[in-house]
Every structure is written in C-alpha cells, then in structure tokens.
Amino acid sequence: GAVVSQHPSRVICKSGTSVKIECRSLDFQATTMFWYRQFPKQSLMLMATSNEGSKATYEQGVEKDKFLINHASLTLSTLTVTSAHPEDSSFYICSAIPGQGGNYGYTFGSGTRLTVV
Amino acid sequence: SQKIEQNSEALNIQEGKTATLTCNYTNYSPAYLQWYRQDPGRGPVFLLLIRENEKEKRKERLKVTFDTTLKQSLFHITASQPADSATYLCALAGSGYSTLTFGKGTMLLVSP
C-alpha cells in the first residue's frame, strides 16, 4: 500500500534554532501534501497545504515565515520550523492522498515529536 | 463554526464484544466522512471512507454508518480484540475532496 515516510521521528533542539522535517511519498507521487500539528489529547490541526512547484497555502493563524514549507518534487515536502521556541514543541505529522477523486483516505507519516528546550 | 464531537471519555469493553464509537458534527455538510486509527506517538492510519449518499460501509470487522440528517456517524468494531485498543479519529471533508477536519478522537480499550 501507499507509504509516507517522515523523518526524523524525534528531535530536540535549542530555542532559536531551526529544525527541518522531511516527508516523502515512497510509492506514489503527491502533488499535494498536508502538514498537521497535534498537541496532547487534541485533534490534528491542519497547518498548511503543500503544493508541488508552487507556494504553500497556510491556515489562518499559522505564520508562514516561521513554518517554511518547500515542495520541490512530487515525492518530497519539507517543513522547517525557524527560530523555534518552547511553545512550538508538538507532534508534527504530514500526509498525502495516494489517489484521485475521493476514493482514498489520506496516508500519514509516522510523525515527528519536536521538543524545544 | 464547524464542530466535530467525539466522546472524550475512553470506551472500555471486553474482548469479543462490539465497540461502537460516535461522531457528531455541526455547521458542516461533508461530502465524505472518514475514520482513522491512531496509536500513541504515531500518525493516523486510514480505516474507512463513506460518502454523503452512502448509509453504511463495511470492511472486515469494521462498519461505519453515516446519517446526514442526524449529522452523525457510528463506527463499529465487531468481535473486538485487545489489539484494537487505540484512539479512533473521525474526519470530515467537503466536496472536491478538500482538506480534512478532525475530531479529537475517542480512546478504545479492549480488555482480555
């Protein structure tokens, strides 16, 4: 089945530094990928929609200069958390749809646990 | 604003019984409703998708119903097993297969 690989699974960084998270579709092409953030016992909140070859679409309240998204190929999207602060500590998850026309669910990566100290 | 409600309390059942989870929504007319399973520290895994013009969908031990009048979906796991213990998320999408909106999920605990 369709697989989305996300890396790293865990990262600890110091305040003020930047962290890059990679999301790859392994056996399908994804013109669109989605980035979510999940706080403990909360629902997944969509941060942005990543579009191959064009700018990402950010949800209201998400700072595009802080959460940089690059979707340079049909199989890779990256999320860079710039100048990270402790409040950015969260579980970040990417996803993609391995098909067309609403017949498929989303395939999610395994998530990245970011801890900013 | 759009709201998706899932029971926040964990559902505890005994192995072999049928688990039934509820998803209610307001201020939304979804074209698709999906159910996912999420284990601790992992990304969600897609289980079932049901369209607005479908009443029921089945897949092995799983069954989903969708009542657009009641604005409710029920998710059933028959002959539940301890391995079914996880958090189950309900998610809605509009027409054109737009982005998903998730509920907070309900934790299911199946005891031997």
Side-chain angles (χ1 to χ4, degrees):
Chain A
V3 176
V4 170
S5 174
Q6 188 172 341
H7 179 80
S9 57
R10 288 178 180 274
V11 59
I12 301 173
C13 71
K14 292 185 178 180
S15 279
T17 61
S18 296
V19 172
K20 181 187 281 189
I21 303 169
E22 290 189 350
C23 180
R24 293 181 185 272
S25 56
L26 295 188
D27 47 4
F28 65 99
Q29 293 182 333
T31 55
T32 303
M33 289 186 176
F34 305 91
W35 287 95
Y36 289 83
R37 181 168 51 182
Q38 186 178 34
F39 292 103
K41 298 192 186 299
Q42 298 297 312
S43 62
L44 279 76
M45 296 300 298
L46 180 66
M47 299 175 65
T49 301
S50 169
N51 304 297
E52 188 267 335
S54 64
K55 291 183 179 180
T57 304
Y58 290 82
E59 296 300 301
Q60 194 173 6
V62 178
E63 300 174 56
K64 61 181 179 182
D65 294 331
K66 179 169 186 60
F67 298 99
L68 301 179
I69 291 173
N70 184 280
H71 194 153
S73 78
L74 288 171
T75 59
L76 174 64
S77 175
T78 60
L79 168 68
T80 301
V81 183
T82 63
S83 187
H85 289 116
E87 57 264 32
D88 298 324
S89 298
S90 187
F91 191 53
Y92 293 86
I93 318 172
C94 66
S95 72
I97 309 173
Q100 299 282 339
N103 292 314
Y104 298 86
Y106 284 35
T107 297
F108 283 82
S110 55
T112 298
R113 173 72 60 192
L114 171 63
T115 304
V116 185
V117 296
Chain B
S1 61
Q2 297 169 356
K3 205 171 180 182
I4 302 172
E5 292 184 352
Q6 294 185 255
N7 196 337
S8 58
E9 292 184 14
L11 176 63
N12 287 275
I13 64 168
Q14 205 167 9
E15 183 176 10
K17 302 291 186 184
T18 296
T20 299
L21 306 176
T22 305
C23 174
N24 295 295
Y25 60 92
T26 55
N27 298 324
Y28 205 145
S29 295
Y32 305 91
L33 188 146
Q34 303 181 21
W35 284 88
Y36 289 80
R37 169 185 173 139
Q38 187 175 25
D39 291 286
R42 308 289 294 176
V45 174
F46 171 70
L47 296 175
L48 278 170
L49 176 155
I50 188 167
R51 295 181 180 78
E52 60 180 338
N53 60 352
E54 296 176 318
K55 297 289 186 187
E56 182 179 298
K57 207 80 168 281
R58 291 175 185 260
K59 180 182 175 184
E60 297 172 353
R61 294 186 295 114
L62 309 180
K63 184 178 85 171
V64 171
T65 62
F66 193 10
D67 189 325
T68 55
T69 302
L70 290 178
K71 295 186 181 296
Q72 180 181 79
S73 174
L74 299 179
F75 177 77
H76 307 272
I77 305 176
T78 58
S80 58
Q81 304 165 1
D84 295 327
S85 298
T87 296
Y88 290 86
L89 306 172
C90 167
L92 307 180
S95 59
Y97 212 62
S98 56
T99 55
L100 286 179
T101 302
F102 282 87
K104 289 185 180 180
T106 298
M107 183 182 292
L108 172 66
L109 299 171
V110 182
S111 53

